[in-house]
Amino acid sequence: MTALPKTADAINPVQVAAAWARAAVGRFGFATLSEPTAAITALADLKPLAHALHRHGEWKDLHAAAAECLTLGETPFARLIRDLQASAPERFLLALAGGIESDHLLTCALADLQAPERNSRASVHLAAAMVSHLFASTSVGELLALPIFIKRALETRGDGPLPLRDVFIDQRLWAVLSGRGAGWPGVEALTYAAIDLIPTLVRVHLPAAAELLGNGLARGLVIRGVPHSGRGRVAAHLAQAINRTAMQVNVETWRDDAAFAHACRAARWLPVLRPSMGAGESLRLSAAGRGSPVIVILGKDGAVEDADLVELELPPPTLDERARWWQERTNDAELSVQLAEGAAISGPLIDQVAISARWLAKNRGEPLARHHIAAARRTCGADALRLLAQPVDRVVPRSALVLSTVAQRDLDDFVTRCRRREALWLGLGETLACTINHGARALFVGDSGTGKTLAASYVATCLGAPLYRVDLASVMNKYVGESEKNLGRLLDLAAAVDVVLLFDEADAVFGSRNEGSETGERYANMLTNFLLTRIEQHPGIVILTANSRSRIDQAFTRRLDTIIEFPLPGPSERFALWRAHLGQRSPGDEACRWIAGHCDLPGGIVRNAVLSAAAGSGADDQPLSLPHLVRAIEREYRKMGRTMPAALATVQE
């Protein structure tokens, strides 16, 4: 008789378990049935078990050797046995329950043993009888008190009396133990990626974090950051550092599925949770996953209620880091500095935008330029943002914007502030250094149609940044707490891709608070308080528009970097507006000056009138006649409930 192999290379625990279960069922059938069936007779052959063990011998020796062999090696099956500290009877029950999942002959033999019931799984009663026959006297109660059942690696299933219920193992867990990979829906491995695009401030702490996780000194790690900041990369890197595989899984599976927790320990998975949490919400991790570290990826909001957790926050990359990453991808030092100043985005997103921009440039047969980067930014990383805000995809040059001198000056100053929102803090006093915030906030105030939204597009165009108008219908929710959650998620997503956020008609959510005692009024005040705090902390660019400054809560005034008034245009601005809207189809400067002198219309109404006149002109390439324009102007006055100036009524067809 040869010695028992001691290396994982010599044996396969899964094959040994399958052969052991077959032989044991066959031997039990011969011992208990007066006329063994063909299936039982076939299973009683010891040759498969001897082959799996690489040794020969009688049943007693092979039986003992099989129980010992299941603990050898670094396979998921062997690790689970050692993790459970499973006794020989427990090892056999695991082998039996798993064998049923993949061995047709074994299921036939079990059905024969439980005739006349045609049950192809071992009942609790049958399992207890087999354990008693193979090891020692065991009752049903003693069987179910074994740790392998208490820890739910094996479970019972069925609605009948307890002894008649089935003993089974979760098929997904057995697939993992058999080396067939993850079988849980929604569970996927995080692809490892280099962490050179993670800020240096974080990278220097990763070895210590890996040591805490690997040595069991920390229960888990909470990684905070905005979307696309590289949180998944960090999780995958830490998993590799402790010889595990990062597996993204939903919270419900991790919290409630004991089989998944066993699979994590057996397959050396590092679960990565991404709960969607709002302000004031918390997550409690159950005891199911004890013994296996866990990583929880969060944004700014939410908390995890569990002991022995370490937090790691991913800050935005510095200006120098972004410039270096852009330089590596564009080979243009001057452009790299401009891009770094204009977009406070993460390294992984820079990489994604650069790849998309190079594809756009190549597809158009052009050298890579800034407008390719701007186009790529509008499409990269903003899918989730579209659920809560609407992209405003238009380019507004300086020549298309007609404002008063003061408004234009203030707007240009705000654009400069946005471009230098990181560098402007350098060299300033210690008090300012304690309150650094790289965000920029502006309120555009003026009557409808005075150019507030167009000016927001102009700001985004100057910065080469995408502009998103907040969809309040999608953000606001009738359920308490959901609106704050949506707004928090919106701001996190906007910070991640560094878009310009436009809150049009902002007084709907930033309106003045009151002292009302009604529940609805108190909730509205709470929502305003939340918004004031989050907007003040937001690291990106936010533009609010309102028809009246008095409608915006006064507490928000201090939190704004600038308030720009958009007055109704005077005669010179109205003349410029008519020329800018009519373009080559203008009836002439004299006609435009005459209309502007008599019509006190803002830019939005001028736009409507020009389009209406163009629709009724009948020719697409000819100047619009003055009568056509006057008729369109008259319609706009009627829409506003006003009477058209008498001077215009003298114009005839």
Side-chain angles (χ1 to χ4, degrees):
M1 184 170 60
T2 59
L4 182 66
K6 293 293 185 182
T7 66
D9 294 335
I11 63 164
N12 184 320
V14 176
Q15 293 179 358
V16 171
W20 186 26
R22 289 167 62 100
V25 169
R27 305 294 292 189
F28 178 78
F30 264 99
T32 57
L33 296 181
S34 57
E35 295 184 4
T37 63
I40 289 174
T41 301
L43 294 182
D45 186 3
L46 297 180
K47 291 180 181 179
L49 179 58
H51 177 74
L53 290 169
H54 298 287
R55 61 179 295 172
H56 301 287
E58 300 298 324
W59 162 245
K60 182 179 180 180
D61 294 329
L62 295 176
H63 171 58
E68 183 179 349
C69 274
L70 295 189
T71 66
L72 300 179
E74 283 300 321
T75 64
F77 193 96
R79 280 197 291 265
L80 180 64
I81 295 294
R82 294 197 297 268
D83 179 66
L84 294 171
Q85 298 181 341
S87 62
E90 291 175 289
R91 299 173 201 177
F92 167 71
L93 289 170
L94 187 63
L96 178 65
I100 294 170
E101 301 300 329
S102 55
D103 192 330
H104 173 67
L105 191 60
L106 186 60
T107 60
C108 292
L110 290 173
D112 293 340
L113 287 170
Q114 298 174 101
E117 294 291 333
R118 301 303 296 175
N119 189 0
S120 59
R121 294 180 183 273
S123 66
V124 173
H125 209 163
L126 176 60
M130 294 183 68
V131 169
S132 295
H133 175 76
L134 295 170
F135 301 97
S137 178
T138 302
S139 66
V140 170
E142 291 172 332
L143 182 81
L144 297 180
L146 291 172
I148 200 168
F149 284 99
I150 299 299
K151 296 179 180 179
R152 295 173 60 192
L154 292 181
E155 299 187 73
T156 61
R157 183 169 62 184
D159 299 324
L162 185 59
L164 299 181
R165 295 179 186 175
D166 295 339
V167 173
F168 83 103
I169 183 173
D170 191 297
Q171 295 182 15
R172 299 165 300 180
L173 174 57
W174 182 251
V176 171
L177 298 180
S178 301
R180 297 199 297 271
W184 273 266
V187 175
E188 59 178 337
L190 291 180
T191 304
Y192 177 81
I195 59 168
D196 57 321
L197 293 174
I198 301 300
T200 303
L201 187 62
V202 173
R203 293 207 306 270
V204 297
H205 294 295
L206 294 185
E211 184 176 358
L212 290 174
L213 289 176
N215 294 339
L217 299 177
R219 158 88 168 105
L221 179 69
V222 176
I223 304 178
R224 291 189 183 272
V226 297
H228 309 291
S229 59
R231 296 170 298 177
R233 289 185 181 221
V234 171
H237 173 82
L238 291 173
Q240 186 185 65
I242 60 175
N243 195 29
R244 290 177 179 265
T245 302
M247 301 293 287
Q248 186 166 294
V249 58
N250 61 64
V251 174
E252 291 72 21
T253 298
W254 167 249
R255 185 172 52 202
D256 304 328
D257 195 334
F260 179 77
H262 287 303
C264 289
R265 293 191 291 272
R268 295 192 63 80
W269 292 345
L270 179 60
V272 179
L273 313 181
R274 289 180 181 263
S276 176
M277 300 173 66
E281 293 184 331
S282 62
L283 170 68
R284 183 181 295 277
L285 299 179
S286 72
R290 295 291 181 185
S292 176
V294 61
I295 289 179
V296 183
I297 291 178
L298 291 178
K300 184 180 181 65
D301 299 321
V304 181
E305 297 182 17
D306 210 308
D308 303 323
L309 291 178
V310 177
E311 278 213 7
L312 180 67
E313 185 167 357
L314 268 64
T318 64
L319 184 64
D320 290 341
E321 285 175 323
R322 296 199 305 271
R324 184 178 73 251
W325 294 334
W326 279 118
Q327 169 73 31
E328 293 169 354
R329 284 152 183 80
T330 63
N331 295 319
D332 187 325
E334 182 178 354
L335 177 61
S336 298
V337 172
Q338 294 174 358
L339 294 174
E341 291 177 342
I345 58 179
S346 67
L349 194 56
I350 286 175
D351 192 48
Q352 184 181 351
V353 169
I355 292 172
S356 180
R358 286 196 298 267
W359 181 87
L360 285 173
K362 183 178 179 180
N363 193 46
R364 298 173 183 176
E366 301 169 350
L368 182 64
R370 188 169 183 177
H371 66 274
H372 299 123
I373 302 289
R377 283 191 63 195
R378 289 194 290 270
T379 59
C380 290
D383 294 341
L385 187 59
R386 291 173 181 266
L387 299 176
L388 299 169
Q390 300 167 344
V392 181
D393 192 7
R394 62 186 175 193
V395 176
V396 179
R398 174 66 184 84
S399 58
L401 198 63
V402 178
L403 299 176
S404 67
T405 302
V406 174
Q408 185 62 59
R409 182 195 63 202
D410 290 346
L411 191 62
D412 290 338
D413 288 345
F414 180 65
V415 170
T416 302
R417 168 69 181 262
C418 293
R419 283 177 174 153
R420 304 190 65 246
R421 56 197 165 114
E422 292 177 273
L424 62 85
W425 298 86
L426 300 176
L428 297 179
E430 294 181 358
T431 302
L432 277 174
C434 296
T435 59
I436 290 178
N437 183 336
H438 294 156
R441 295 153 292 276
L443 172 64
F444 294 173
V445 180
D447 289 339
S448 178
T450 52
K452 302 185 297 295
T453 304
L454 195 67
S457 296
Y458 169 72
V459 171
T461 300
C462 291
L463 300 174
L467 174 66
Y468 277 79
R469 179 189 286 115
V470 177
D471 185 355
L472 293 177
S474 299
V475 172
M476 305 305 289
N477 194 294
K478 65 180 180 180
Y479 296 106
V480 175
E482 287 300 310
S483 296
E484 289 90 337
K485 186 174 181 179
N486 287 339
L487 285 164
R489 183 164 174 258
L490 168 69
L491 292 170
D492 283 346
L493 291 168
V497 292
D498 199 29
V499 303
V500 178
L501 272 185
L502 172 63
F503 285 86
D504 230 347
E505 308 295 336
D507 47 331
V509 287
F510 294 91
S512 300
R513 292 165 288 183
N514 54 52
E515 301 297 330
S517 59
E518 297 294 329
T519 301
E521 293 175 338
R522 290 200 304 271
Y523 172 63
N525 290 342
M526 290 169 56
L527 179 59
T528 300
N529 292 337
F530 171 80
L531 278 169
L532 294 178
T533 302
R534 282 304 309 268
I535 291 294
E536 184 176 22
Q537 297 173 348
H538 182 61
I541 300 168
V542 176
I543 297 175
L544 294 81
T545 70
N547 292 340
S548 173
R549 180 172 176 172
S550 62
R551 295 179 183 176
I552 300 295
D553 194 289
Q554 291 303 307
F556 196 57
T557 302
R558 179 185 61 81
R559 295 170 166 88
L560 294 168
D561 297 308
T562 184
I563 298 178
I564 302 178
E565 299 279 353
F566 286 74
L568 289 170
S572 60
E573 286 87 16
R574 293 198 298 267
F575 170 61
L577 281 170
W578 282 104
R579 290 187 63 190
H581 281 87
L582 287 165
Q584 296 180 353
R585 301 188 67 184
S586 170
D589 286 354
E590 184 178 350
C592 289
R593 188 174 286 106
W594 182 78
I595 294 174
H598 291 89
C599 298
D600 57 345
L601 298 177
I605 305 301
V606 171
R607 171 185 179 275
N608 293 341
V610 170
L611 288 175
S612 178
S617 68
D620 295 335
D621 56 352
Q622 298 298 318
L624 298 177
S625 67
L626 190 58
H628 273 108
L629 285 172
V630 170
R631 191 185 315 136
I633 291 170
E634 192 269 337
R635 281 195 291 267
E636 294 303 316
Y637 271 101
R638 284 206 311 268
K639 283 166 56 179
M640 294 186 293
R642 296 172 55 189
T643 303
M644 184 177 70
L648 272 69
T650 61
V651 177
Q652 303 295 325
E653 290 287 348

